[in-house]
């Protein structure tokens, strides 16, 4: 269940096939290279009520930011907008807690992203359903080749 969210598309009581189709079309148009994620802090995204997500966070490098911006732009083209965040904080939620604690540095966790997925998070269920999967170019020349091939 660990994942890093690029764009949250909103809460719905049931899966919306029209949203899945639109998000899939947007994802198909993303033409960027692989990127690195670096998580080097632990903290909490404080909510007003209930348990808050305890997260590992890190900086958004240029390549990761390009992935987020490109996907966000294509989602806007497909009619998403009000559902999308206007800023990006790379993070992985590892637990929820009602306790608070100050942000603190951790030994970095680093990995290379080679794909992204469309995930359906089922409310009150620990399972996720992967609805689509899209690969990223392995290097910059692959991106140029993808653009040339359309």
């Amino acid at each position: 269940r660990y994942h890093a969210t690029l764009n949250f598309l909103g809460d719905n009581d049931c899966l919306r096939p029209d949203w899945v189709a639109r998000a899939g079309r947007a994802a198909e148009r993303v033409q960027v290279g692989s990127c690195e994620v670096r998580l080097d802090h632990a903290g909490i995204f404080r909510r007003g009520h209930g348990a808050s997500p305890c997260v590992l966070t890190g900086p958004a490098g240029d390549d990761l930011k390009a992935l987020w911006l490109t996907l966000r732009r294509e989602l806007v083209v497909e009619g998403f907008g009000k559902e999308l965040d206007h800023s990006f904080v790379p993070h992985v939620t590892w637990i929820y807690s009602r306790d608070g604690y100050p942000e603190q540095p951790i030994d970095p966790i680093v990995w290379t992203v080679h794909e992204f997925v469309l995930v359906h998070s089922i409310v009150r269920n620990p399972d996720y359903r992967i609805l689509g999967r899209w690969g990223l170019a392995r290097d910059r020349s692959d991106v140029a080749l993808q653009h040339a091939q359309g």
Side-chain angles (χ1 to χ4, degrees), residues 36-132:
E36 184 176 276
V37 174
R38 177 185 177 90
L39 304 175
D40 56 13
H41 282 80
I44 190 165
F45 288 167
R46 178 59 60 198
R47 291 183 176 170
H49 62 284
S52 296
C54 300
V55 295
L56 305 178
T57 64
D62 290 342
D63 291 345
L64 181 58
K65 202 177 297 182
L67 171 59
W68 175 74
L69 284 169
T70 301
L71 179 58
R72 187 181 189 288
R73 181 187 65 230
E74 296 303 335
L75 288 166
V76 168
V77 168
E78 288 295 332
F80 293 98
K82 65 179 185 255
E83 300 87 358
L84 302 176
D85 288 328
H86 295 281
S87 62
F88 177 54
V89 177
H91 69 280
V92 171
T93 301
W94 57 278
I95 196 169
Y96 286 80
S97 176
R98 294 181 188 280
D99 299 326
Y101 56 89
E103 181 177 307
Q104 54 193 302
I106 62 168
D107 290 337
I109 300 168
V110 181
W111 77 92
T112 302
V113 177
H114 297 290
E115 67 178 3
F116 64 100
V117 297
L118 177 60
V119 174
H120 178 215
S121 174
I122 304 166
V123 177
R124 289 177 296 282
N125 185 320
D127 295 327
Y128 289 137
R129 286 183 43 216
I130 295 178
L131 305 175

Side-chain angles (χ1 to χ4, degrees), residues 10-27:
D11 284 322
N12 291 289
D13 290 336
C14 60
L15 184 62
R16 301 236 349 228
D18 59 319
W19 284 31
V20 173
R22 290 174 21 221
R25 286 192 301 268

